[in-house]
Amino acid sequence: MLELRMKDVNLNKNVVTLRTQSSTYKLRDDSGKIISRKNDIGRLKTDDSKRDLPISNLWCKVLVERIETLKERNDPDLLKPDAFIFCNKHGEMRTYSGTRSIFVRFMQKIDLHEKGYTLHSFRHSFVSHCKASGMDKESVTRYVGHANSKITDRIYTHLTQEEKLKITGAIDKAFVGLQ
């Protein structure tokens, strides 16, 4: 979402278009030590990654509020089609590390900072909840832009607590007669 631009959002249809992805490049000195990091916008990993995604009413509301905030800054450049929606105070794309800092402060504020959540945790949770709610695996795979469902299965689907309890119950039931 760091590279999401005004032209990527259609609030009339509740859709965002994913066209690019952000990448962080590490700049190193001659000894290999990292001297700085640079964010850049690059191509998506696969052709399937470019997609139109329907967004929830809640996410639409967040985008509307963000756009209103940008309008209040009275800078027409912030509303151009190529302008970043989640920009820094100079209208530039936010860095991942800067966004992560905001996220960490937010997690501290709501007392969840010791849980180990990251920005990427939301993607994992989303896919796991889609799986747990019975959504078709191929649909989820296409929605998140993976080339095939093996990637989705291997990386993003984790057992929910409810699924773990079902498994535990099934194990107990299977071994009842052996005690």
Side-chain angles (χ1 to χ4, degrees):
M1 291 290 113
L2 293 178
E3 69 280 355
L4 191 66
R5 297 172 189 258
M6 291 292 185
K7 68 182 177 186
D8 299 328
V9 176
N10 183 334
L11 294 172
N12 294 326
K13 294 184 178 181
N14 288 21
V15 170
V16 296
T17 301
L18 301 183
R19 307 168 200 265
T20 58
Q21 71 181 33
S22 60
S23 301
T24 301
Y25 299 96
K26 297 172 184 167
L27 303 173
R28 301 175 185 268
D29 64 15
D30 293 336
S31 70
K33 181 181 175 187
I34 298 172
I35 51 176
S36 68
R37 289 178 171 78
K38 180 184 178 221
N39 274 25
D40 201 3
I41 299 173
R43 295 171 31 102
L44 294 167
K45 292 178 187 173
T46 68
D47 290 338
D48 291 333
S49 296
K50 182 181 180 199
R51 59 208 184 274
D52 290 335
L53 294 178
I55 55 175
S56 68
N57 290 331
L58 178 62
W59 184 229
C60 251
K61 183 179 176 188
V62 168
L63 290 173
V64 166
E65 288 174 8
R66 177 61 185 161
I67 292 168
E68 287 302 316
T69 299
L70 294 172
K71 285 179 182 175
E72 290 169 8
R73 290 169 61 181
N74 292 321
D75 182 348
D77 288 341
L78 296 177
L79 302 172
K80 289 183 176 177
D82 277 335
F84 295 106
I85 291 179
F86 298 106
C87 59
N88 64 19
K89 62 183 176 183
H90 304 293
E92 302 162 338
M93 183 177 84
R94 283 195 172 280
T95 64
Y96 182 81
S97 60
T99 305
R100 187 178 57 235
S101 296
I102 293 167
F103 176 77
V104 167
R105 287 193 305 271
F106 173 74
M107 296 305 278
Q108 289 170 340
K109 184 176 181 179
I110 62 172
D111 204 27
L112 288 176
H113 58 285
E114 293 182 13
K115 298 285 185 184
Y117 295 118
T118 65
L119 289 167
H120 203 70
S121 297
F122 290 111
R123 183 174 170 93
H124 287 261
S125 295
F126 174 79
V127 173
S128 294
H129 287 295
C130 287
K131 177 185 164 245
S133 71
M135 289 182 68
D136 173 75
K137 179 170 50 172
E138 291 302 319
S139 297
V140 175
T141 295
R142 285 193 311 274
Y143 191 88
V144 297
H146 289 154
N148 61 63
S149 61
K150 290 178 186 173
I151 297 168
T152 310
D153 287 343
R154 188 180 75 237
I155 300 173
Y156 292 100
T157 53
H158 309 287
L159 292 174
T160 64
Q161 188 64 23
E162 184 177 316
E163 290 170 317
K164 290 175 187 175
L165 290 172
K166 283 181 185 177
I167 292 168
T168 303
I171 292 169
D172 287 345
K173 187 176 179 181
F175 287 95
V176 151
L178 299 176
Q179 295 178 357

PDB file of all heavy atoms in Angstrom, residues 63-90:
ATOM      1  N   LEU A  63      -9.736   5.408   3.233  1.00  0.00           N
ATOM      2  CA  LEU A  63      -9.195   6.114   2.063  1.00  0.00           C
ATOM      3  C   LEU A  63      -9.854   7.483   1.882  1.00  0.00           C
ATOM      4  O   LEU A  63      -9.174   8.462   1.575  1.00  0.00           O
ATOM      5  CB  LEU A  63      -9.360   5.266   0.807  1.00  0.00           C
ATOM      6  CG  LEU A  63      -8.464   4.032   0.744  1.00  0.00           C
ATOM      7  CD1 LEU A  63      -8.835   3.168  -0.460  1.00  0.00           C
ATOM      8  CD2 LEU A  63      -6.998   4.419   0.685  1.00  0.00           C
ATOM      9  N   VAL A  64     -11.157   7.552   2.083  1.00  0.00           N
ATOM     10  CA  VAL A  64     -11.864   8.842   1.974  1.00  0.00           C
ATOM     11  C   VAL A  64     -11.302   9.830   2.993  1.00  0.00           C
ATOM     12  O   VAL A  64     -11.021  10.986   2.667  1.00  0.00           O
ATOM     13  CB  VAL A  64     -13.396   8.652   2.153  1.00  0.00           C
ATOM     14  CG1 VAL A  64     -14.095   9.981   2.387  1.00  0.00           C
ATOM     15  CG2 VAL A  64     -13.984   7.948   0.944  1.00  0.00           C
ATOM     16  N   GLU A  65     -11.129   9.363   4.236  1.00  0.00           N
ATOM     17  CA  GLU A  65     -10.585  10.245   5.282  1.00  0.00           C
ATOM     18  C   GLU A  65      -9.164  10.682   4.948  1.00  0.00           C
ATOM     19  O   GLU A  65      -8.797  11.837   5.177  1.00  0.00           O
ATOM     20  CB  GLU A  65     -10.638   9.540   6.634  1.00  0.00           C
ATOM     21  CG  GLU A  65     -12.044   9.428   7.181  1.00  0.00           C
ATOM     22  CD  GLU A  65     -12.136   8.601   8.458  1.00  0.00           C
ATOM     23  OE1 GLU A  65     -11.079   8.222   9.022  1.00  0.00           O
ATOM     24  OE2 GLU A  65     -13.271   8.331   8.893  1.00  0.00           O
ATOM     25  N   ARG A  66      -8.374   9.769   4.392  1.00  0.00           N
ATOM     26  CA  ARG A  66      -6.997  10.122   4.031  1.00  0.00           C
ATOM     27  C   ARG A  66      -6.989  11.176   2.910  1.00  0.00           C
ATOM     28  O   ARG A  66      -6.232  12.140   2.967  1.00  0.00           O
ATOM     29  CB  ARG A  66      -6.222   8.871   3.598  1.00  0.00           C
ATOM     30  CG  ARG A  66      -4.816   9.157   3.147  1.00  0.00           C
ATOM     31  CD  ARG A  66      -3.981   9.766   4.249  1.00  0.00           C
ATOM     32  NE  ARG A  66      -2.667  10.128   3.736  1.00  0.00           N
ATOM     33  CZ  ARG A  66      -1.845  10.968   4.312  1.00  0.00           C
ATOM     34  NH1 ARG A  66      -2.179  11.530   5.460  1.00  0.00           N
ATOM     35  NH2 ARG A  66      -0.692  11.253   3.782  1.00  0.00           N
ATOM     36  N   ILE A  67      -7.825  10.987   1.922  1.00  0.00           N
ATOM     37  CA  ILE A  67      -7.897  11.944   0.815  1.00  0.00           C
ATOM     38  C   ILE A  67      -8.388  13.300   1.321  1.00  0.00           C
ATOM     39  O   ILE A  67      -7.882  14.350   0.903  1.00  0.00           O
ATOM     40  CB  ILE A  67      -8.765  11.380  -0.331  1.00  0.00           C
ATOM     41  CG1 ILE A  67      -8.033  10.188  -0.969  1.00  0.00           C
ATOM     42  CG2 ILE A  67      -9.079  12.459  -1.365  1.00  0.00           C
ATOM     43  CD1 ILE A  67      -8.884   9.352  -1.909  1.00  0.00           C
ATOM     44  N   GLU A  68      -9.338  13.306   2.242  1.00  0.00           N
ATOM     45  CA  GLU A  68      -9.805  14.567   2.838  1.00  0.00           C
ATOM     46  C   GLU A  68      -8.660  15.271   3.578  1.00  0.00           C
ATOM     47  O   GLU A  68      -8.516  16.485   3.498  1.00  0.00           O
ATOM     48  CB  GLU A  68     -10.985  14.321   3.786  1.00  0.00           C
ATOM     49  CG  GLU A  68     -12.283  13.998   3.081  1.00  0.00           C
ATOM     50  CD  GLU A  68     -12.721  15.078   2.104  1.00  0.00           C
ATOM     51  OE1 GLU A  68     -12.645  16.280   2.456  1.00  0.00           O
ATOM     52  OE2 GLU A  68     -13.134  14.718   0.994  1.00  0.00           O
ATOM     53  N   THR A  69      -7.857  14.496   4.283  1.00  0.00           N
ATOM     54  CA  THR A  69      -6.695  15.062   4.985  1.00  0.00           C
ATOM     55  C   THR A  69      -5.734  15.704   3.983  1.00  0.00           C
ATOM     56  O   THR A  69      -5.200  16.793   4.230  1.00  0.00           O
ATOM     57  CB  THR A  69      -5.959  13.968   5.794  1.00  0.00           C
ATOM     58  OG1 THR A  69      -6.872  13.443   6.764  1.00  0.00           O
ATOM     59  CG2 THR A  69      -4.734  14.511   6.494  1.00  0.00           C
ATOM     60  N   LEU A  70      -5.520  15.038   2.863  1.00  0.00           N
ATOM     61  CA  LEU A  70      -4.631  15.603   1.833  1.00  0.00           C
ATOM     62  C   LEU A  70      -5.221  16.874   1.230  1.00  0.00           C
ATOM     63  O   LEU A  70      -4.491  17.833   0.957  1.00  0.00           O
ATOM     64  CB  LEU A  70      -4.361  14.561   0.743  1.00  0.00           C
ATOM     65  CG  LEU A  70      -3.559  13.339   1.180  1.00  0.00           C
ATOM     66  CD1 LEU A  70      -3.531  12.288   0.083  1.00  0.00           C
ATOM     67  CD2 LEU A  70      -2.139  13.727   1.599  1.00  0.00           C
ATOM     68  N   LYS A  71      -6.533  16.905   1.038  1.00  0.00           N
ATOM     69  CA  LYS A  71      -7.193  18.108   0.508  1.00  0.00           C
ATOM     70  C   LYS A  71      -7.005  19.292   1.452  1.00  0.00           C
ATOM     71  O   LYS A  71      -6.807  20.424   1.011  1.00  0.00           O
ATOM     72  CB  LYS A  71      -8.688  17.859   0.291  1.00  0.00           C
ATOM     73  CG  LYS A  71      -9.011  17.015  -0.905  1.00  0.00           C
ATOM     74  CD  LYS A  71     -10.514  16.793  -1.021  1.00  0.00           C
ATOM     75  CE  LYS A  71     -10.841  15.908  -2.189  1.00  0.00           C
ATOM     76  NZ  LYS A  71     -12.278  15.577  -2.271  1.00  0.00           N
ATOM     77  N   GLU A  72      -7.066  19.028   2.760  1.00  0.00           N
ATOM     78  CA  GLU A  72      -6.914  20.084   3.761  1.00  0.00           C
ATOM     79  C   GLU A  72      -5.526  20.717   3.738  1.00  0.00           C
ATOM     80  O   GLU A  72      -5.339  21.827   4.244  1.00  0.00           O
ATOM     81  CB  GLU A  72      -7.206  19.526   5.159  1.00  0.00           C
ATOM     82  CG  GLU A  72      -8.670  19.201   5.376  1.00  0.00           C
ATOM     83  CD  GLU A  72      -8.914  18.412   6.649  1.00  0.00           C
ATOM     84  OE1 GLU A  72      -7.972  18.229   7.453  1.00  0.00           O
ATOM     85  OE2 GLU A  72     -10.063  17.962   6.832  1.00  0.00           O
ATOM     86  N   ARG A  73      -4.571  20.056   3.154  1.00  0.00           N
ATOM     87  CA  ARG A  73      -3.217  20.609   3.070  1.00  0.00           C
ATOM     88  C   ARG A  73      -3.085  21.650   1.966  1.00  0.00           C
ATOM     89  O   ARG A  73      -2.048  22.289   1.834  1.00  0.00           O
ATOM     90  CB  ARG A  73      -2.205  19.478   2.885  1.00  0.00           C
ATOM     91  CG  ARG A  73      -2.106  18.653   4.170  1.00  0.00           C
ATOM     92  CD  ARG A  73      -1.344  17.373   4.049  1.00  0.00           C
ATOM     93  NE  ARG A  73       0.044  17.518   3.659  1.00  0.00           N
ATOM     94  CZ  ARG A  73       0.868  16.478   3.494  1.00  0.00           C
ATOM     95  NH1 ARG A  73       0.439  15.255   3.716  1.00  0.00           N
ATOM     96  NH2 ARG A  73       2.113  16.672   3.118  1.00  0.00           N
ATOM     97  N   ASN A  74      -4.145  21.833   1.174  1.00  0.00           N
ATOM     98  CA  ASN A  74      -4.200  22.868   0.125  1.00  0.00           C
ATOM     99  C   ASN A  74      -3.003  22.820  -0.818  1.00  0.00           C
ATOM    100  O   ASN A  74      -2.461  23.859  -1.198  1.00  0.00           O
ATOM    101  CB  ASN A  74      -4.341  24.264   0.739  1.00  0.00           C
ATOM    102  CG  ASN A  74      -5.683  24.459   1.391  1.00  0.00           C
ATOM    103  OD1 ASN A  74      -6.702  23.995   0.872  1.00  0.00           O
ATOM    104  ND2 ASN A  74      -5.699  25.104   2.535  1.00  0.00           N
ATOM    105  N   ASP A  75      -2.600  21.640  -1.198  1.00  0.00           N
ATOM    106  CA  ASP A  75      -1.519  21.459  -2.164  1.00  0.00           C
ATOM    107  C   ASP A  75      -2.073  20.611  -3.307  1.00  0.00           C
ATOM    108  O   ASP A  75      -2.247  19.401  -3.168  1.00  0.00           O
ATOM    109  CB  ASP A  75      -0.326  20.761  -1.506  1.00  0.00           C
ATOM    110  CG  ASP A  75       0.850  20.599  -2.444  1.00  0.00           C
ATOM    111  OD1 ASP A  75       0.694  20.814  -3.670  1.00  0.00           O
ATOM    112  OD2 ASP A  75       1.942  20.236  -1.945  1.00  0.00           O
ATOM    113  N   PRO A  76      -2.371  21.243  -4.455  1.00  0.00           N
ATOM    114  CA  PRO A  76      -2.989  20.500  -5.572  1.00  0.00           C
ATOM    115  C   PRO A  76      -2.134  19.326  -6.061  1.00  0.00           C
ATOM    116  O   PRO A  76      -2.663  18.359  -6.589  1.00  0.00           O
ATOM    117  CB  PRO A  76      -3.179  21.547  -6.666  1.00  0.00           C
ATOM    118  CG  PRO A  76      -2.459  22.767  -6.224  1.00  0.00           C
ATOM    119  CD  PRO A  76      -2.177  22.651  -4.773  1.00  0.00           C
ATOM    120  N   ASP A  77      -0.827  19.395  -5.862  1.00  0.00           N
ATOM    121  CA  ASP A  77       0.040  18.284  -6.287  1.00  0.00           C
ATOM    122  C   ASP A  77      -0.272  16.997  -5.531  1.00  0.00           C
ATOM    123  O   ASP A  77      -0.053  15.889  -6.041  1.00  0.00           O
ATOM    124  CB  ASP A  77       1.514  18.641  -6.093  1.00  0.00           C
ATOM    125  CG  ASP A  77       1.999  19.672  -7.098  1.00  0.00           C
ATOM    126  OD1 ASP A  77       1.335  19.851  -8.143  1.00  0.00           O
ATOM    127  OD2 ASP A  77       3.043  20.306  -6.828  1.00  0.00           O
ATOM    128  N   LEU A  78      -0.791  17.129  -4.311  1.00  0.00           N
ATOM    129  CA  LEU A  78      -1.100  15.947  -3.503  1.00  0.00           C
ATOM    130  C   LEU A  78      -2.335  15.201  -3.994  1.00  0.00           C
ATOM    131  O   LEU A  78      -2.604  14.088  -3.543  1.00  0.00           O
ATOM    132  CB  LEU A  78      -1.298  16.335  -2.033  1.00  0.00           C
ATOM    133  CG  LEU A  78      -0.089  16.914  -1.313  1.00  0.00           C
ATOM    134  CD1 LEU A  78      -0.468  17.315   0.101  1.00  0.00           C
ATOM    135  CD2 LEU A  78       1.062  15.914  -1.303  1.00  0.00           C
ATOM    136  N   LEU A  79      -3.073  15.812  -4.934  1.00  0.00           N
ATOM    137  CA  LEU A  79      -4.301  15.198  -5.428  1.00  0.00           C
ATOM    138  C   LEU A  79      -4.200  14.777  -6.894  1.00  0.00           C
ATOM    139  O   LEU A  79      -5.168  14.291  -7.473  1.00  0.00           O
ATOM    140  CB  LEU A  79      -5.475  16.155  -5.236  1.00  0.00           C
ATOM    141  CG  LEU A  79      -5.704  16.581  -3.782  1.00  0.00           C
ATOM    142  CD1 LEU A  79      -6.759  17.666  -3.712  1.00  0.00           C
ATOM    143  CD2 LEU A  79      -6.078  15.391  -2.916  1.00  0.00           C
ATOM    144  N   LYS A  80      -3.031  14.927  -7.491  1.00  0.00           N
ATOM    145  CA  LYS A  80      -2.829  14.520  -8.883  1.00  0.00           C
ATOM    146  C   LYS A  80      -2.901  12.998  -8.984  1.00  0.00           C
ATOM    147  O   LYS A  80      -2.639  12.291  -8.007  1.00  0.00           O
ATOM    148  CB  LYS A  80      -1.487  15.023  -9.389  1.00  0.00           C
ATOM    149  CG  LYS A  80      -1.451  16.516  -9.600  1.00  0.00           C
ATOM    150  CD  LYS A  80      -0.122  16.960 -10.169  1.00  0.00           C
ATOM    151  CE  LYS A  80      -0.146  18.454 -10.465  1.00  0.00           C
ATOM    152  NZ  LYS A  80       1.160  18.923 -10.958  1.00  0.00           N
ATOM    153  N   PRO A  81      -3.209  12.473 -10.172  1.00  0.00           N
ATOM    154  CA  PRO A  81      -3.335  11.020 -10.334  1.00  0.00           C
ATOM    155  C   PRO A  81      -2.112  10.216  -9.876  1.00  0.00           C
ATOM    156  O   PRO A  81      -2.261   9.135  -9.322  1.00  0.00           O
ATOM    157  CB  PRO A  81      -3.570  10.843 -11.838  1.00  0.00           C
ATOM    158  CG  PRO A  81      -4.194  12.134 -12.268  1.00  0.00           C
ATOM    159  CD  PRO A  81      -3.567  13.192 -11.400  1.00  0.00           C
ATOM    160  N   ASP A  82      -0.914  10.756 -10.078  1.00  0.00           N
ATOM    161  CA  ASP A  82       0.294  10.019  -9.687  1.00  0.00           C
ATOM    162  C   ASP A  82       0.718  10.262  -8.243  1.00  0.00           C
ATOM    163  O   ASP A  82       1.722   9.709  -7.791  1.00  0.00           O
ATOM    164  CB  ASP A  82       1.463  10.352 -10.624  1.00  0.00           C
ATOM    165  CG  ASP A  82       1.420   9.524 -11.893  1.00  0.00           C
ATOM    166  OD1 ASP A  82       0.841   8.424 -11.861  1.00  0.00           O
ATOM    167  OD2 ASP A  82       1.965   9.971 -12.914  1.00  0.00           O
ATOM    168  N   ALA A  83      -0.029  11.079  -7.507  1.00  0.00           N
ATOM    169  CA  ALA A  83       0.335  11.380  -6.114  1.00  0.00           C
ATOM    170  C   ALA A  83       0.086  10.164  -5.223  1.00  0.00           C
ATOM    171  O   ALA A  83      -0.877   9.419  -5.407  1.00  0.00           O
ATOM    172  CB  ALA A  83      -0.468  12.574  -5.614  1.00  0.00           C
ATOM    173  N   PHE A  84       0.983   9.984  -4.258  1.00  0.00           N
ATOM    174  CA  PHE A  84       0.848   8.882  -3.307  1.00  0.00           C
ATOM    175  C   PHE A  84      -0.223   9.219  -2.271  1.00  0.00           C
ATOM    176  O   PHE A  84      -0.266  10.325  -1.750  1.00  0.00           O
ATOM    177  CB  PHE A  84       2.175   8.626  -2.575  1.00  0.00           C
ATOM    178  CG  PHE A  84       3.262   8.154  -3.480  1.00  0.00           C
ATOM    179  CD1 PHE A  84       4.305   8.986  -3.841  1.00  0.00           C
ATOM    180  CD2 PHE A  84       3.240   6.857  -3.987  1.00  0.00           C
ATOM    181  CE1 PHE A  84       5.304   8.555  -4.687  1.00  0.00           C
ATOM    182  CE2 PHE A  84       4.240   6.411  -4.831  1.00  0.00           C
ATOM    183  CZ  PHE A  84       5.278   7.260  -5.188  1.00  0.00           C
ATOM    184  N   ILE A  85      -1.049   8.251  -1.959  1.00  0.00           N
ATOM    185  CA  ILE A  85      -2.095   8.465  -0.963  1.00  0.00           C
ATOM    186  C   ILE A  85      -1.505   8.504   0.439  1.00  0.00           C
ATOM    187  O   ILE A  85      -1.843   9.360   1.245  1.00  0.00           O
ATOM    188  CB  ILE A  85      -3.190   7.392  -1.089  1.00  0.00           C
ATOM    189  CG1 ILE A  85      -3.939   7.618  -2.393  1.00  0.00           C
ATOM    190  CG2 ILE A  85      -4.138   7.438   0.110  1.00  0.00           C
ATOM    191  CD1 ILE A  85      -5.036   6.648  -2.681  1.00  0.00           C
ATOM    192  N   PHE A  86      -0.615   7.590   0.727  1.00  0.00           N
ATOM    193  CA  PHE A  86       0.009   7.536   2.051  1.00  0.00           C
ATOM    194  C   PHE A  86       1.413   8.127   1.960  1.00  0.00           C
ATOM    195  O   PHE A  86       2.412   7.443   2.164  1.00  0.00           O
ATOM    196  CB  PHE A  86       0.025   6.097   2.581  1.00  0.00           C
ATOM    197  CG  PHE A  86      -1.350   5.553   2.759  1.00  0.00           C
ATOM    198  CD1 PHE A  86      -1.865   4.623   1.872  1.00  0.00           C
ATOM    199  CD2 PHE A  86      -2.147   5.996   3.798  1.00  0.00           C
ATOM    200  CE1 PHE A  86      -3.151   4.132   2.028  1.00  0.00           C
ATOM    201  CE2 PHE A  86      -3.438   5.509   3.958  1.00  0.00           C
ATOM    202  CZ  PHE A  86      -3.939   4.577   3.072  1.00  0.00           C
ATOM    203  N   CYS A  87       1.461   9.408   1.658  1.00  0.00           N
ATOM    204  CA  CYS A  87       2.732  10.098   1.456  1.00  0.00           C
ATOM    205  C   CYS A  87       3.239  10.701   2.768  1.00  0.00           C
ATOM    206  O   CYS A  87       2.504  10.825   3.740  1.00  0.00           O
ATOM    207  CB  CYS A  87       2.570  11.195   0.420  1.00  0.00           C
ATOM    208  SG  CYS A  87       1.330  12.435   0.856  1.00  0.00           S
ATOM    209  N   ASN A  88       4.507  11.076   2.738  1.00  0.00           N
ATOM    210  CA  ASN A  88       5.053  11.798   3.888  1.00  0.00           C
ATOM    211  C   ASN A  88       4.669  13.273   3.762  1.00  0.00           C
ATOM    212  O   ASN A  88       3.934  13.659   2.841  1.00  0.00           O
ATOM    213  CB  ASN A  88       6.569  11.593   3.993  1.00  0.00           C
ATOM    214  CG  ASN A  88       7.338  12.165   2.818  1.00  0.00           C
ATOM    215  OD1 ASN A  88       6.845  13.011   2.067  1.00  0.00           O
ATOM    216  ND2 ASN A  88       8.555  11.702   2.635  1.00  0.00           N
ATOM    217  N   LYS A  89       5.172  14.109   4.641  1.00  0.00           N
ATOM    218  CA  LYS A  89       4.765  15.521   4.641  1.00  0.00           C
ATOM    219  C   LYS A  89       5.233  16.282   3.401  1.00  0.00           C
ATOM    220  O   LYS A  89       4.756  17.367   3.117  1.00  0.00           O
ATOM    221  CB  LYS A  89       5.248  16.221   5.908  1.00  0.00           C
ATOM    222  CG  LYS A  89       6.748  16.259   6.081  1.00  0.00           C
ATOM    223  CD  LYS A  89       7.116  16.906   7.399  1.00  0.00           C
ATOM    224  CE  LYS A  89       8.616  16.861   7.624  1.00  0.00           C
ATOM    225  NZ  LYS A  89       8.992  17.407   8.913  1.00  0.00           N
ATOM    226  N   HIS A  90       6.152  15.688   2.623  1.00  0.00           N
ATOM    227  CA  HIS A  90       6.648  16.320   1.395  1.00  0.00           C
ATOM    228  C   HIS A  90       5.954  15.767   0.146  1.00  0.00           C
ATOM    229  O   HIS A  90       6.318  16.123  -0.967  1.00  0.00           O
ATOM    230  CB  HIS A  90       8.156  16.109   1.264  1.00  0.00           C
ATOM    231  CG  HIS A  90       8.926  16.593   2.451  1.00  0.00           C
ATOM    232  ND1 HIS A  90       9.019  17.921   2.791  1.00  0.00           N
ATOM    233  CD2 HIS A  90       9.618  15.910   3.393  1.00  0.00           C
ATOM    234  CE1 HIS A  90       9.743  18.044   3.885  1.00  0.00           C
ATOM    235  NE2 HIS A  90      10.112  16.838   4.280  1.00  0.00           N
TER     236      HIS A  90
END
